[in-house]
Structure formats: structure tokens, C-alpha cells
Amino acid sequence: MVSAGVENSEQRRSQLLRGVLDVCLLALISEEPRYGYELAEGLAQRGLALVSEGSIYPLLSRMQSAGLVSVFKTASGNGPPRKYYQLTDAGAAELAAGRRSWAAFAESVGQVLAVPTRPEPSPSVPSRHQEDS
């Protein structure tokens, strides 16, 4: 049985990833052209195993329609040809913008989360609610 803390943590990671999955895919594709399964593998190798191929393909299709990636097919050893995705100039510009946005966002969130928690007031020190009463 999965504990509530672990389940909430996975849900939080999933929500966070949803907003940056496109940038993560562009980053992987910028390293070298890749096909869908390789993208899922690349994400998993970097700690993002919760992303399935099923969530990658619709995003890749939208990115192709937007001109961020182009596609070429190569024969595979077994089965149908593989569809490889490669970055376009527009995709490289989008990746650069996404990296800047992520860095600024992560820095802002880091500043908020780095704020130390205030200790619980001791019984001899009145709390704010007691002072206001």
C-alpha cells in the first residue's frame, strides 16, 4: 500500500512536470534527434520516470504543428520505421526561452521555500491571537 505522503509527492511532481514537459522534451531533442521511446527513456534516466509514452506523443504532435520540431523517419530493425524528432530554429529559441523562464521560476520558488519556519511560541510568550484579543 502506498502512503498518503508518497502519493501526494507523486501528484505534486506530476503537476510540476506538466508545466515544463515540453521544455524537457526540447532539451532532450536538442542533444540529438530521438524517437518517442528514447524520449521517455531519457526522462526516466534523469529521474522523471512518471512520464509515459502516451503523454509524450500528443505533446510531440503539438510541437511539430507549432514548428518547434521536425520529423524524419528511419527504418527500424524490426517493425515499422521510427519517427525521429529534431529541433528546428524555432524550437531552439523556445528551449532557450523555456530555460530562462524555468530558472527564474525555480529561483523565486527557492526563495520562498528557503524561508525558515518560525518556531512555535513558548507558553510564556503571547501569540498574535492572544495579543489581538
Side-chain angles (χ1 to χ4, degrees):
M1 182 172 171
V2 177
S3 75
V6 170
E7 188 174 312
N8 287 340
S9 175
E10 287 178 12
Q11 287 175 346
R12 180 173 288 118
R13 285 176 53 91
S14 178
Q15 289 292 326
L16 291 168
L17 183 59
R18 194 170 290 156
V20 294
L21 182 55
D22 60 336
V23 179
C24 291
L25 291 176
L26 290 173
L28 289 174
I29 294 168
S30 75
E31 296 171 357
E32 63 181 332
R34 297 175 191 244
Y35 60 95
Y37 178 75
E38 287 179 322
L39 289 164
E41 248 183 7
L43 291 170
Q45 289 169 352
R46 290 168 170 92
L48 300 175
L50 57 114
V51 180
S52 69
E53 284 182 76
S55 60
I56 289 175
Y57 287 110
L59 185 51
L60 288 169
S61 180
R62 287 193 297 274
M63 290 166 55
Q64 182 182 359
S65 295
L68 303 177
V69 296
S70 62
V71 172
F72 64 92
K73 292 184 179 182
T74 303
S76 73
N78 51 357
R82 288 191 176 136
K83 192 178 197 180
Y84 281 83
Y85 298 87
Q86 63 185 13
L87 212 56
T88 62
D89 290 342
E94 183 68 21
L95 173 58
R99 283 178 166 154
R100 285 190 302 273
S101 293
W102 175 255
F105 179 75
E107 181 179 347
S108 297
V109 170
Q111 289 175 7
V112 171
L113 296 180
V115 173
T117 342
R118 292 192 301 182
E120 290 292 319
S122 65
S124 62
V125 178
S127 72
R128 263 192 184 171
H129 285 10
Q130 290 172 340
E131 290 175 3
D132 292 342
S133 308

